[in-house]
Amino acid sequence: MNRQNQNNKNDFIGLYLGTVEHDSRDKETSRELLLSKGVNPDELIAEGLRKIKRMQLLANAEKTKKEMEGSESVKLAATKWVDQLLSSIDFSLMEVVKKEELTVSFRNVENLSKEDIRNILIRHFTLKLMNQRNKGG
């Protein structure tokens, strides 16, 4: 493209953008301009909002998926850790409660099954590992 054509193109774009800017300076003028061009501004806005909402939902779904994938590996690590802890000969729930600063109801501790204890500890250590990971530790 030669220099003259480029200048003409730039002049045309400048003129067009200047006209659009002038025509769309206020809301009512913009609305009238769109209506005169056969565009329903209310539908245009509604469609834009629907697309934005859809994109937000997709982004949130992807974020949740990645968090869940990440938490699965953390949960597996926590499960392995808890299983090793529980298989230790000198395992003491009270020691773990003190060390981890867990809040428990002493009335109910005696009634917990081994599986209950395992599930509680897995949840605790999963959350602990996830918090450490999120803090960069």
Side-chain angles (χ1 to χ4, degrees):
M1 179 178 296
N2 68 30
R3 190 163 181 76
Q4 182 61 36
N5 285 344
Q6 184 64 37
N7 286 340
N8 288 343
K9 186 176 181 181
N10 289 339
D11 290 342
F12 175 76
I13 291 171
L15 178 64
Y16 179 76
L17 291 176
T19 304
V20 169
E21 183 179 313
H22 174 73
D23 286 345
S24 61
R25 221 161 258 194
D26 65 61
K27 188 176 180 178
E28 192 54 41
T29 305
S30 298
R31 186 174 182 76
E32 289 173 11
L33 176 66
L34 288 171
L35 287 170
S36 73
K37 302 292 183 186
V39 176
N40 181 342
D42 297 327
E43 183 55 36
L44 185 65
I45 291 169
E47 179 63 25
L49 291 173
R50 281 192 295 270
K51 286 182 179 182
I52 290 170
K53 184 69 173 174
R54 190 175 327 122
M55 290 180 347
Q56 287 174 329
L57 289 172
L58 289 172
N60 286 338
E62 186 63 29
K63 180 181 173 190
T64 301
K65 180 181 174 185
K66 287 182 180 187
E67 287 173 351
M68 289 180 71
E69 288 170 352
S71 68
E72 273 306 306
S73 65
V74 172
K75 185 177 180 182
L76 287 173
T79 301
K80 186 176 178 180
W81 189 358
V82 168
D83 287 342
Q84 288 175 347
L85 187 65
L86 291 173
S87 67
S88 172
I89 293 174
D90 60 345
F91 171 76
S92 165
L93 180 58
M94 288 304 132
E95 289 293 319
V96 173
V97 168
K98 277 185 198 173
K99 183 178 177 188
E100 295 296 321
E101 299 176 352
L102 294 171
T103 304
V104 294
S105 169
F106 287 99
R107 276 187 306 199
N108 295 330
V109 171
E110 299 88 28
N111 298 331
L112 293 174
S113 69
K114 281 188 174 189
E115 192 60 28
D116 291 336
I117 293 169
R118 181 176 182 271
N119 289 332
I120 290 168
L121 292 177
I122 288 172
R123 272 186 266 151
H124 167 72
F125 285 114
T126 299
L127 290 172
K128 182 178 179 176
L129 291 172
M130 287 178 75
N131 285 337
Q132 288 173 348
R133 185 180 69 179
N134 290 340
K135 290 179 184 175

